[in-house]
Amino acid sequence: MLDEHEILNCLPCGVVITDREGRILVWNRAMSSLSGLSAEEMEGTPLQQWLPDIDRSHASIVLPHRDQWLDVRVHGQDFSGGCAWTFVQEVRQELDQAQADFVSTVSHELRTPLTSIKGFIDTLLRSGNQLSEKQQHRFLKIAKNQADRLTRLVEDILTVSRIQSGRLKNVPQRLDLAEVIDLVLESLSQKYEARRMHMHLPNGLPEVWADQDRLEQILTNLIDNALKYSEKDTCVDIYAKLDPEDESVLWISVRDQGIGIPEVHLDQLFNRFSRIDSPLTREREGTGLGLYITKSLVESLGGTILVESQFGHGSIFTVCLPAAQHLPMHLEEGLHA
Ligand code: ADP
């Protein structure tokens, strides 16, 4: 015969069973090690007494654990005799490690342009009067380019930090894709020749369900990369269509005829600070954060991003986003409220 208490004690996550009045009947072993409070002292007491803000939905709460506070995710499920609660510790340590790795990579990335700026300014200060005007101008130009790079890096890092902390809020709405692409192409035409960019959208394409700023940023990053990693006499084409197998999804593709990406690098493309070493990449300005940011933004809009590429023959980046014509009922209702 199985002993229910024993089974609950074997589970790796914290389990608490309360009766209809919220009094603790079971406080399993994982819960004791999570909270530092034993079953003996907890069983028979009201759960609310220990965790007054607890509610039945998933939530993060903090438990007093010896001298420290502990983040846990909680879920409560009612049954006929009371409620079964699960408590799972947040993976804080892994997050801390990832954070530490990020800070160390960021510091390294920031130091490179800073060292260069400092080096050239030091030289100008120390021996500027021995340099020709042309040399002085060249050194100042390098320092300015590096300062611009630093600015771009800081902006991208701030975006990454906003994404990670969930501070980047989306306000999704119905958007006419052609209008958004037009805006993006117009703004990119300040930097690249307009004749290199071509939009091909079929008639009757449904609207896309997205946040306008995020969608503009996604398309800007992809089209900018497509133009940046291609020779100047090539074109970039932007296509869109409904997913042939699922009409609730819109595909937006950006295709270039550029340097392409070797297959071995496709996996790491969306990682932070990932730049693929090639003569053209070295020549072109970049932070290696654009595709990471793009992927995070696409996912925040409920979409996915795919890449196909043939080294030396160009790439196609495809973003799949919800089509507004097939919105789930609750979103439609929210729209008309
Ligand atoms: P970056 O700021 O370096 O452009 P991204 O994150 O946007 O950073 O891109 C990461 C790397 O992926 C680039 O450095 C480049 O090597 C490669 N890459 C991105 N888009 C393309 C493309 N359309 N064609 C070829 N390589 C690309």
Side-chain angles (χ1 to χ4, degrees):
M1 189 68 178
L2 291 172
D3 177 344
E4 287 149 18
H5 238 92
E6 207 38 53
I7 295 172
L8 293 176
N9 274 337
C10 294
L11 294 177
C13 68
V15 176
V16 177
I17 311 284
T18 51
D19 64 16
R20 282 198 199 93
E21 280 71 50
R23 202 165 289 278
I24 299 168
L25 301 173
V26 176
W27 185 269
N28 80 340
R29 198 173 295 141
M31 195 60 202
S32 297
S33 42
L34 197 66
S35 64
L37 301 163
S38 70
E40 288 73 40
E41 53 188 314
M42 298 305 289
E43 285 171 2
T45 62
L47 183 61
Q48 290 280 341
Q49 176 185 314
W50 300 95
L51 304 165
D53 296 329
I54 196 165
D55 73 38
R56 261 143 235 258
S57 59
H58 282 270
S60 251
I61 61 159
V62 278
L63 279 173
H65 180 255
R66 298 185 187 105
D67 290 334
Q68 67 196 97
W69 292 88
L70 199 69
D71 277 342
V72 287
R73 286 185 70 79
V74 184
H75 182 76
Q77 177 72 55
D78 286 319
F79 65 99
S80 56
C83 187
W85 303 86
T86 50
F87 292 70
V88 180
Q89 187 171 355
E90 290 279 285
V91 274
R92 208 27 187 259
Q93 264 175 327
E94 282 171 32
L95 281 178
D96 286 348
Q97 189 52 47
Q99 206 73 8
D101 292 348
F102 183 56
V103 169
S104 115
T105 319
V106 165
S107 313
H108 173 77
E109 293 290 329
L110 293 177
R111 201 175 299 131
T112 314
L114 263 179
T115 310
S116 161
I117 294 168
K118 192 173 172 311
F120 283 106
I121 290 180
D122 276 350
T123 312
L124 283 166
L125 282 174
R126 235 181 309 114
S127 39
N129 49 5
Q130 294 158 32
L131 297 170
S132 71
E133 209 173 301
K134 202 170 159 197
Q135 278 172 319
Q136 289 183 25
H137 185 259
R138 198 171 75 85
F139 282 13
L140 283 171
K141 210 170 154 197
I142 296 173
K144 154 113 178 38
N145 284 344
Q146 291 299 321
D148 288 345
R149 175 171 161 69
L150 208 54
T151 310
R152 274 193 298 274
L153 258 170
V154 170
E155 277 165 10
D156 279 356
I157 289 163
L158 282 175
T159 309
V160 168
S161 136
R162 276 190 217 111
I163 290 172
Q164 286 179 338
S165 63
R167 270 181 293 134
L168 211 69
K169 292 282 170 268
N170 283 326
V171 184
Q173 55 175 316
R174 294 172 173 280
L175 295 173
D176 182 315
L177 189 57
E179 281 174 18
V180 182
I181 297 175
D182 261 340
L183 281 174
V184 171
L185 296 189
E186 201 184 314
S187 118
L188 282 170
S189 67
Q190 320 265 336
K191 203 165 146 193
Y192 302 97
E193 283 182 79
R195 64 176 180 83
R196 293 185 63 198
M197 310 172 225
H198 302 284
M199 167 167 66
H200 316 262
L201 299 196
N203 288 332
L205 193 71
E207 291 166 306
V208 57
W209 180 250
D211 176 286
Q212 168 114 18
D213 288 347
R214 307 290 160 259
L215 185 56
E216 279 180 29
Q217 192 171 356
I218 291 164
L219 293 171
T220 303
N221 287 355
L222 293 180
I223 301 170
D224 192 341
N225 273 353
L227 293 157
K228 185 163 70 168
Y229 298 112
S230 303
E231 295 303 337
K232 289 194 171 68
D233 55 352
T234 62
C235 290
V236 166
D237 297 283
I238 302 119
Y239 300 90
K241 63 173 183 182
L242 275 181
D243 180 338
E245 282 167 20
D246 180 358
E247 293 216 325
S248 65
V249 176
L250 257 176
W251 288 358
I252 309 160
S253 300
V254 177
R255 187 170 80 186
D256 65 57
Q257 301 157 6
I259 55 174
I261 300 150
E263 206 180 330
V264 283
H265 295 304
L266 286 176
D267 276 357
Q268 75 205 45
L269 210 57
F270 296 97
N271 294 349
R272 289 179 297 203
F273 298 112
S274 152
R275 299 202 82 204
I276 292 148
D277 195 31
S278 76
L280 193 69
T281 314
R282 258 173 272 142
E283 228 176 72
R284 302 289 196 260
E285 266 306 328
T287 60
L289 285 169
L291 284 179
Y292 171 78
I293 292 173
T294 305
K295 184 169 189 260
S296 308
L297 295 177
V298 169
E299 288 172 354
S300 78
L301 295 174
T304 48
I305 183 166
L306 315 163
V307 54
E308 296 160 65
S309 190
Q310 234 191 326
F311 188 41
H313 298 278
S315 314
I316 309 176
F317 284 81
T318 300
V319 171
C320 309
L321 287 173
Q325 71 178 8
H326 283 282
L327 287 182
M329 198 62 104
H330 66 279
L331 287 178
E332 280 286 4
E333 278 164 7
L335 207 60
H336 301 304

